[in-house]
Amino acid sequence: MSENVGIVIVSHSADVARGTALMVEQMVGREVPLGWCGGDPDGGLGTNVEAIIAAIDRAWSEKGVAILVDLGGAETNSEMAIEMLPEERRSRVVVCNAPVVEGAVMAATEAASGASLEVVQRTAEELTPV
């Protein structure tokens, strides 16, 4: 079990999610638990609550999980996925209001330093344009 906050990337595109995850891994290595998902079950554009839950499980850390999303539907489905988690996990998963690629890289960089979930989220959200 990792001692760092986990990062999940949710995109409407499997290619965007996978590419962002690869970028994060290249930047911070494997010190941060990482999950990603993208696309609908038929391989088209979209998001899927079950896939998001599976990505959260892959990135799970007792310190929590920060989710980065690309568009509104990804955020909505991520919130639904959080609600479907066991009660003891829900409070340790947050959706960051941040650009998906930049936010994921910055959040993972912060997580790799051992930062708390709150600090990881705040760091990612500092990138949101005003």
Side-chain angles (χ1 to χ4, degrees):
M1 177 84 38
S2 175
E3 296 193 17
N4 294 325
V5 169
I7 303 295
V8 168
I9 298 147
V10 180
S11 174
H12 282 71
S13 164
D15 291 337
V16 169
R18 180 176 33 254
T20 303
L22 287 171
M23 181 179 282
V24 166
E25 198 170 83
Q26 288 174 11
M27 299 289 281
V28 300
R30 297 182 185 265
E31 293 180 41
V32 175
L34 184 62
W36 61 269
C37 60
D40 69 14
D42 297 323
L45 294 177
T47 59
N48 176 285
V49 173
E50 291 79 18
I52 296 167
I53 292 171
I56 293 168
D57 287 342
R58 284 191 304 276
W60 182 253
S61 164
E62 290 300 315
K63 286 188 80 172
V65 174
I67 302 175
L68 285 294
V69 300
D70 64 354
L71 298 170
E75 182 176 2
T76 301
N77 281 342
S78 293
E79 294 290 352
M80 287 175 40
I82 292 168
E83 288 300 315
M84 295 173 73
L85 292 174
E87 187 173 340
E88 64 275 4
R89 285 190 168 192
R90 286 184 209 143
S91 65
R92 290 185 274 168
V93 182
V94 297
V95 177
C96 298
N97 181 19
V100 67
V101 176
E102 298 93 332
V105 170
M106 293 306 297
T109 301
E110 196 70 57
S113 75
S116 69
L117 179 60
E118 294 77 21
V119 171
V120 169
Q121 181 179 18
R122 187 170 53 244
T123 298
E125 292 181 347
E126 286 175 357
L127 299 168
T128 303
V130 180

